[in-house]
Amino acid sequence: MTSDEFDPWAAAEADAVETALQAWVPTDAPAGLGLAMRYGVLDGGKRVRALLVLAAAQAVSGLREGALRAACAVELIHAYSLIHDDMPCMDNDVLRRGKPTVHVQFGDAQAMLAGDAMQALAFEVLTPEPGPATGRGVPPALQAKLCSLLARAAGHAGMAGGQAIDLASVGLALDEHALRDMHHRKTGALLRASVLMGASCGSPTEAQWRALGDYGDALGLAFQVVDDILDVTQASATLGKTAGKDANDNKPTYVTVLGLEPARKRARALRDQAHAALDRSTLPDPSCLALLADRVVERDS
C-alpha cells in the first residue's frame, strides 16, 4: 500500500466499523441506557485501534468477519474506558471528541452504567450466538483467543492497572522508567492487543507474532508520547478534549519528564522501532501497519 492509498483505505475501514457499531450497539436498552452507549462510541474518535486490528488481519490474510468483530470490540472497550476516565471521580473532564462527556450529557450514574454495558457488549460482539449470518464464520477457538487478548489488555495488568497507577501518581515526580511502565499498561496494552487480535485472525508464524507484538509495544508508547506533546501544543478545539489538563492536574507526562523536544525525538525513535519490527516480521506486505505508525506520530490531534 502506498501513502496515497492509505487515507482512502482508512476512511473505508472506519466507515465499516461505524456501520457495524451502529448495528451492534443497542437502541432499545432500558431507561435511555442505549442512547448513552451510542453517544459514547458512535460518530467520533480516530478509530486507531480498530484500524490496527484490520491492518494486522490484512497483513496475515486473516478472516474478515473475525477482524471486524475484533475491531468493534476494541473500540467498545476504548470508549467505555474514556467514559469512566472522564467522570468526576477520575479525571473530571467535560469535553471528549468535541462534545460534552457522557456524564455531563446523561449524568454520572448513567455514564457509569453505559461504560459497564459497553465493556460487556465488547465480549458479546466477539462471541455471537449462532444464527443466520451472525458469526457462523468465526470459529470458537478464534473467539476464545480474541476474548483472552482483549480481557488481559483491559484488566488489572493492562489498561485498568495503568489508570490506577496514573491516579496514584498525581503530584509525584516519576522517572522515565516508571512513566513508561504506566503507559505500557494504560495506553499501550490495548494498542498492542489490537495488533495481535488482528493477527490472530490469520496464521502468523511464531516469529511474525513476536515481531507484531514488538511493533504494537513501540506504537503504543509512541501514541502516548504524542498525546502528551499535543496536550501542551494544541488547543482544545483541535484536540476535541480539554488541552493542558495533565499539567493542570499535576500529572507526570513525557513532556514534563523529558522536555518537549526530547519527547518529540522519542516519538520518532519509537516509530523507527515499530518500522524495524515490521522489517523483521517477514510479512509479505506490512505497509499498511507501517503507514499507521507514521500517522500516529505525525498526527496533530
Side-chain angles (χ1 to χ4, degrees):
M1 179 179 292
T2 67
S3 181
D4 289 341
E5 294 169 331
F6 177 83
D7 288 337
W9 172 87
E13 293 291 56
D15 285 346
V17 170
E18 188 72 23
T19 298
L21 286 170
Q22 287 276 1
W24 289 332
V25 181
T27 58
D28 58 354
L33 180 60
L35 293 176
M37 294 169 68
R38 294 175 73 83
Y39 181 92
V41 72
L42 299 178
D43 303 319
K46 293 175 282 294
R47 305 295 190 216
V48 170
R49 292 153 189 83
L51 292 177
L52 283 170
V53 174
L54 297 170
Q58 180 176 296
V60 299
S61 301
L63 182 67
R64 174 65 180 183
E65 183 177 351
L68 184 59
R69 286 181 174 276
C72 291
V74 168
E75 286 297 319
L76 285 162
I77 291 292
H78 176 55
Y80 117 74
S81 75
L82 298 181
I83 292 172
H84 283 188
D85 288 357
D86 287 337
M87 292 182 67
C89 60
M90 301 273 270
D91 290 349
N92 194 24
D93 214 335
V94 298
L95 185 67
R96 174 70 67 177
R97 294 176 172 174
K99 59 186 182 181
T101 48
V102 176
H103 73 273
V104 170
Q105 191 76 10
F106 294 93
D108 290 2
Q110 191 76 305
M112 182 66 73
L113 289 171
D116 292 345
M118 288 160 65
Q119 182 184 44
L121 181 60
F123 294 96
E124 290 182 45
V125 166
L126 291 176
T127 56
E129 294 183 5
T134 52
R136 293 193 301 175
V138 185
L142 176 56
Q143 294 180 28
K145 179 68 171 178
L146 295 173
C147 285
S148 175
L149 287 166
L150 186 56
R152 283 164 172 75
H156 67 91
M159 184 180 69
Q163 179 67 6
I165 296 171
D166 186 43
L167 292 171
S169 299
V170 173
L172 300 183
L174 297 186
D175 61 20
E176 187 182 357
H177 177 78
L179 187 67
R180 183 184 183 98
D181 176 63
M182 176 176 75
H183 287 308
H184 263 311
R185 298 170 187 266
K186 182 183 175 184
T187 304
L190 195 58
L191 286 158
R192 182 178 190 271
S194 300
V195 177
L196 295 181
M197 288 171 75
S200 296
C201 295
S203 300
T205 66
E206 184 176 341
Q208 288 170 341
W209 181 266
R210 288 197 303 269
L212 287 169
D214 291 344
Y215 165 86
D217 280 335
L219 182 68
L221 197 56
F223 188 96
Q224 184 60 54
V225 175
V226 173
D227 250 17
D228 288 352
I229 292 168
L230 295 177
D231 189 61
V232 301
T233 59
Q234 298 288 2
S236 298
T238 300
L239 296 177
K241 60 183 180 180
T242 306
K245 197 162 191 312
D246 287 340
N248 292 338
D249 291 344
N250 201 20
K251 286 188 175 186
T253 70
Y254 276 93
V255 173
T256 61
V257 170
L258 299 179
L260 181 57
E261 287 308 316
R264 287 175 169 149
K265 184 177 179 180
R266 182 60 49 83
R268 293 191 293 269
L270 288 163
R271 177 194 57 196
D272 293 344
Q273 288 178 30
H275 281 205
L278 293 177
D279 288 343
R280 65 174 180 271
S281 72
T282 69
L283 289 165
D285 184 13
S287 59
C288 192
L289 288 167
L291 288 164
L292 262 170
D294 293 340
R295 294 300 195 276
V296 162
V297 172
E298 295 164 1
R299 65 195 170 97
D300 58 7
S301 65

